[in-house]
Amino acid sequence: MAAGTPACAVRAPRPRPVARRLLALVLAALLAGGCATQSASLLAQRPPGLPTRVELADTPFFPDDSHFCGPAALATALSAAGLATRPDELVDRVFLPGREGSLQIEMLAGARRSGAVATVIPGTLEALLSEVAAGHPVVVLQNLGLSWAPSWHYAVVVGHDLEAGEILLRSGPMQRQALALRTFEHTWKRGGNWAFVTLPPGRLAATATEAEATAALVAFERAASPAAAATAYRAGLQRWPDSYTLQMGLGNVLHARGELAGAEAAFARAARHGQAAAHNNHARVLLALGRAGEARAAAQRGLAVAGPLRATLLDTLQAIDAALPAPAR
Amino acid sequence: MKRFQRLLAVLLSASVLNLTAVQSAQAALVSTEEAARLAGAAQSESGHARLAAALARDDVRAEMLRQGVDPTLAHERIAALTDDEAARLADQIDSAPAGGIIGAILLVFFVLLITDILGLTKVFPFTRPLR
């Protein structure tokens, strides 16, 4: 199976003491016998709502039989999300010639630079298949070798057939690889159960936790235009309306777009969480709106809980006082 | 050649300085990444700042230049990482054994900066796929 798909992914170095590694090996050997697999329980008792058969047949395919599985898998997922991309455009962003592979964090960063929100999903088969059932192809990291002799590989899950116990992948040179779910589970587990989806701003991964989705949206803001980031944050806030970080993000990108009224509303909601950063940004926007009195009150509230942001809030207060007429101080 | 190297050094320092300058220019508003970091477990210094500090070291810079690393590409790729991701990379630098710090910085950066590490350093127990 590994033939034709050489190692083409790179895992970042993670120093691990030899003793702990040996222990892990021994434990793994002890546990390997009696452990029930996820695929077995999934096939025995199908989760409600998960269709028996799914195939996202329209997902494009970029064949690769060398070390470019990273760019190929990413281009597959991005194109399926409506962001037409070719693997060769991604090589300069995610490929390391010296290591003949692609790093996981650069796969995520590369997706963002192409205009997609890249979200890591929970490392369970159920989440993986649910995501595909929601119409989102999933990029997975597999280890086609052994835990101590790894052969890393990126592929894209595009479907499953629970009746046949198979998972469908775009993988290396194979346009439609039907792999036994059990085999896939082992190769995926050896890759750390790592998987992510790439979606255009405004759409959210079906299964992502609030923490992962928030991390993905904040990271997207770094690479995206303020307009795209605003769309992305709004979608996140629809699902998690009380999120402090998402409100802050929306406020910041609206401010960057010059939409001060919208930014003010977002920071006002964020400020309910009692964070100094929210009070500071709220005060800045109120000042820009010419509401210096309210701005001063907001900055004072921030200063009371400033912590490491003390200097920032003092700056803000100074700017407000400079704008206020003398008797109002 | 000497002059060329000096020019590269200037360019690289400029790009590093630029990285930190961009962050302080937006200091009036607290960025989303910083707000999220402050709201969560407080981390003393940002990942980008730590990477920039590592990159600014003379010995590291000299070695990168000797290896012919393209500073622009390096800058772009590092800027595309979130602060959290940059912090994780910086952690790998920090956890290097004493004395091996330059090797570790180079290792982490060369992983990002398109140069094969093997042969340059053996600080990390790198797991390379067997062929």
Side-chain angles (χ1 to χ4, degrees), chain A residues 51-137:
Chain A
T52 308
R53 270 185 212 88
V54 175
E55 181 163 5
L56 307 176
D58 292 343
T59 311
F61 172 57
F62 300 103
D64 166 65
D65 53 6
S66 61
H67 300 292
F68 295 97
C69 72
L74 192 53
T76 303
L78 288 170
S79 300
L83 300 154
T85 317
R86 296 183 43 76
D88 51 298
E89 299 165 28
L90 295 169
V91 168
D92 273 350
R93 299 179 172 190
V94 304
F95 187 69
L96 304 168
R99 303 279 309 157
E100 296 180 334
S102 302
L103 282 169
Q104 285 160 277
I105 55 170
E106 284 215 296
M107 289 287 280
L108 300 175
R112 297 194 293 261
R113 288 175 75 183
S114 299
V117 180
T119 311
V120 175
I121 63 167
T124 64
L125 272 183
E126 189 179 338
L128 179 64
L129 300 187
S130 305
E131 208 61 62
V132 179
H136 310 152

Side-chain angles (χ1 to χ4, degrees), chain A residues 1-321:
Chain A
M1 178 186 63
T5 47
C8 49
V10 185
R11 296 205 81 183
R14 201 165 299 170
R16 246 197 303 176
V18 175
R20 205 190 298 166
R21 246 173 124 166
L22 268 176
L23 186 69
L25 253 170
V26 171
L27 275 178
L30 285 174
L31 288 172
C35 235
T37 58
Q38 279 188 58
S39 44
S41 52
L42 194 85
L43 292 173
Q45 193 177 11
R46 288 181 207 159
L50 190 65
T52 308
R53 270 185 212 88
V54 175
E55 181 163 5
L56 307 176
D58 292 343
T59 311
F61 172 57
F62 300 103
D64 166 65
D65 53 6
S66 61
H67 300 292
F68 295 97
C69 72
L74 192 53
T76 303
L78 288 170
S79 300
L83 300 154
T85 317
R86 296 183 43 76
D88 51 298
E89 299 165 28
L90 295 169
V91 168
D92 273 350
R93 299 179 172 190
V94 304
F95 187 69
L96 304 168
R99 303 279 309 157
E100 296 180 334
S102 302
L103 282 169
Q104 285 160 277
I105 55 170
E106 284 215 296
M107 289 287 280
L108 300 175
R112 297 194 293 261
R113 288 175 75 183
S114 299
V117 180
T119 311
V120 175
I121 63 167
T124 64
L125 272 183
E126 189 179 338
L128 179 64
L129 300 187
S130 305
E131 208 61 62
V132 179
H136 310 152
V138 183
V139 180
V140 290
L141 176 70
Q142 292 173 282
N143 175 1
L144 301 177
L146 297 161
S147 59
W148 46 272
S151 175
W152 305 112
H153 177 67
Y154 293 109
V156 183
V157 179
V158 295
H160 63 253
D161 183 340
L162 296 183
E163 206 98 295
E166 285 176 346
I167 195 163
L168 304 172
L169 303 134
R170 303 263 184 279
S171 179
M174 288 168 281
Q175 175 154 19
R176 187 180 185 278
Q177 182 188 29
L179 198 57
L181 201 54
R182 203 185 138 79
T183 310
F184 170 80
E185 184 183 349
H186 288 308
T187 63
W188 189 41
K189 192 173 172 190
R190 285 197 295 262
N193 290 93
W194 192 78
F196 70 96
V197 294
T198 64
L199 292 169
R203 279 169 60 195
L204 292 178
T207 61
T209 60
E210 180 178 351
E212 285 293 356
T214 303
L217 292 169
V218 173
F220 181 69
E221 181 194 331
R222 166 173 288 273
S225 70
T231 306
Y233 277 132
R234 285 202 171 105
L237 281 165
Q238 250 175 12
R239 194 176 295 177
W240 296 287
D242 292 330
S243 163
Y244 162 71
T245 304
L246 295 181
Q247 291 288 8
M248 283 297 283
L250 182 62
N252 277 332
V253 297
L254 290 180
H255 176 265
R257 275 174 66 77
E259 293 180 28
L260 293 183
E264 192 273 326
F267 287 137
R269 278 192 290 275
R272 288 187 204 145
H273 293 262
Q275 291 284 338
H279 290 305
N280 176 74
N281 292 11
H282 192 208
R284 285 281 178 180
V285 174
L286 285 168
L287 177 64
L289 284 167
R291 292 153 66 179
E294 291 168 74
R296 192 158 211 289
Q300 291 286 10
R301 282 195 291 275
L303 195 59
V305 291
L309 287 178
R310 198 178 153 75
T312 309
L313 277 145
L314 287 175
D315 273 357
T316 300
L317 264 179
Q318 207 170 22
I320 295 166
D321 284 342

